[in-house]
Amino acid sequence: SFQDKNALHLYSVNGKYLGSETLKEEVSDMCVTGEYIVMGSLQGFLSIRDLYSLSLSISPLAMRLPIHCISVTKEYSHILVGLEDGKLIIVGVGKPAEV
Protein backbone atom coordinates (compact mmCIF):
# COMPACT_ATOMS: atom_id res chain seq x y z
CA SER A 1 0.00 0.00 0.00
CA PHE A 2 0.96 3.67 -0.37
CA GLN A 3 1.65 4.06 3.37
CA ASP A 4 4.07 1.14 3.57
CA LYS A 5 6.23 2.61 0.82
CA ASN A 6 6.64 6.04 2.38
CA ALA A 7 8.12 5.91 5.84
CA LEU A 8 11.18 7.28 7.56
CA HIS A 9 12.98 4.74 9.78
CA LEU A 10 15.55 5.69 12.40
CA TYR A 11 18.32 3.34 13.54
CA SER A 12 21.28 3.81 15.87
CA VAL A 13 24.84 3.45 14.52
CA ASN A 14 24.90 -0.18 15.71
CA GLY A 15 21.64 -1.02 13.96
CA LYS A 16 19.19 -0.74 16.86
CA TYR A 17 15.73 0.30 15.64
CA LEU A 18 14.74 3.60 17.24
CA GLY A 19 11.48 4.50 15.54
CA SER A 20 9.68 5.43 12.36
CA GLU A 21 7.33 8.01 10.93
CA THR A 22 4.83 7.42 8.11
CA LEU A 23 5.08 10.04 5.39
CA LYS A 24 2.22 11.43 3.33
CA GLU A 25 4.51 12.34 0.42
CA GLU A 26 7.07 10.60 -1.78
CA VAL A 27 10.56 11.79 -0.81
CA SER A 28 12.61 12.94 -3.80
CA ASP A 29 15.70 14.21 -1.92
CA MET A 30 16.87 14.63 1.64
CA CYS A 31 19.90 15.66 3.63
CA VAL A 32 20.86 15.52 7.28
CA THR A 33 22.02 18.85 8.66
CA GLY A 34 23.11 19.05 12.26
CA GLU A 35 20.12 17.77 14.24
CA TYR A 36 17.62 18.05 11.40
CA ILE A 37 16.51 16.11 8.34
CA VAL A 38 15.62 18.38 5.42
CA MET A 39 13.37 16.62 2.88
CA GLY A 40 11.77 17.48 -0.43
CA SER A 41 8.91 15.57 -2.02
CA LEU A 42 7.45 14.92 -5.47
CA GLN A 43 4.27 16.53 -4.10
CA GLY A 44 6.21 19.80 -3.75
CA PHE A 45 6.66 20.04 0.02
CA LEU A 46 9.83 21.04 1.84
CA SER A 47 9.86 19.47 5.32
CA ILE A 48 12.25 19.86 8.23
CA ARG A 49 12.19 17.11 10.83
CA ASP A 50 14.01 16.59 14.11
CA LEU A 51 16.69 13.95 13.57
CA TYR A 52 15.95 12.12 16.83
CA SER A 53 12.16 12.27 17.20
CA LEU A 54 11.44 12.41 13.42
CA SER A 55 8.66 14.90 14.19
CA LEU A 56 8.13 17.98 12.03
CA SER A 57 10.02 21.03 13.30
CA ILE A 58 7.87 23.44 11.27
CA SER A 59 4.84 23.00 9.01
CA PRO A 60 5.93 21.80 5.56
CA LEU A 61 6.45 24.61 3.05
CA ALA A 62 4.53 24.21 -0.22
CA MET A 63 6.69 24.80 -3.32
CA ARG A 64 3.76 23.95 -5.67
CA LEU A 65 5.98 21.85 -7.97
CA PRO A 66 7.88 18.58 -7.50
CA ILE A 67 11.19 19.11 -5.70
CA HIS A 68 14.12 17.47 -7.46
CA CYS A 69 17.01 18.31 -5.13
CA ILE A 70 17.87 19.94 -1.84
CA SER A 71 21.09 21.36 -0.48
CA VAL A 72 21.88 23.22 2.73
CA THR A 73 24.59 25.90 2.86
CA LYS A 74 27.64 25.28 5.06
CA GLU A 75 26.57 27.86 7.64
CA TYR A 76 23.06 26.30 7.73
CA SER A 77 21.72 29.75 6.81
CA HIS A 78 19.84 28.78 3.64
CA ILE A 79 18.18 25.78 2.01
CA LEU A 80 18.53 25.57 -1.79
CA VAL A 81 15.58 23.83 -3.44
CA GLY A 82 15.67 22.78 -7.10
CA LEU A 83 12.20 22.44 -8.67
CA GLU A 84 10.99 20.44 -11.65
CA ASP A 85 10.70 23.51 -13.87
CA GLY A 86 14.37 24.38 -13.33
CA LYS A 87 13.78 27.14 -10.78
CA LEU A 88 16.04 27.41 -7.75
CA ILE A 89 14.24 28.52 -4.58
CA ILE A 90 16.38 29.86 -1.74
CA VAL A 91 14.82 29.54 1.71
CA GLY A 92 16.35 31.52 4.57
CA VAL A 93 16.65 29.55 7.80
CA GLY A 94 16.30 31.78 10.84
CA LYS A 95 15.48 30.88 14.41
CA PRO A 96 12.05 29.20 14.58
CA ALA A 97 10.37 32.55 15.36
CA GLU A 98 11.91 34.10 12.22
CA VAL A 99 11.22 31.27 9.75
Side-chain angles (χ1 to χ4, degrees), residues 9-80:
H9 300 283
L10 183 65
Y11 291 86
S12 71
V13 202
N14 14 354
K16 180 176 185 259
Y17 174 77
L18 299 174
S20 65
E21 188 70 37
T22 302
L23 304 175
K24 294 181 182 77
E25 301 107 38
E26 295 172 77
V27 175
S28 51
D29 196 18
M30 68 189 299
C31 58
V32 174
T33 302
E35 313 212 328
Y36 298 96
I37 304 168
V38 181
M39 298 190 318
S41 73
L42 293 178
Q43 285 71 24
F45 288 97
L46 175 67
S47 304
I48 301 172
R49 291 179 175 273
D50 180 88
L51 180 59
Y52 305 105
S53 70
L54 300 182
S55 61
L56 284 167
S57 296
I58 60 164
S59 295
L61 302 172
M63 298 288 154
R64 296 187 177 83
L65 281 170
I67 294 172
H68 278 214
C69 61
I70 284 181
S71 183
V72 179
T73 57
K74 268 196 303 233
E75 310 79 31
Y76 306 146
S77 58
H78 295 83
I79 301 170
L80 310 176

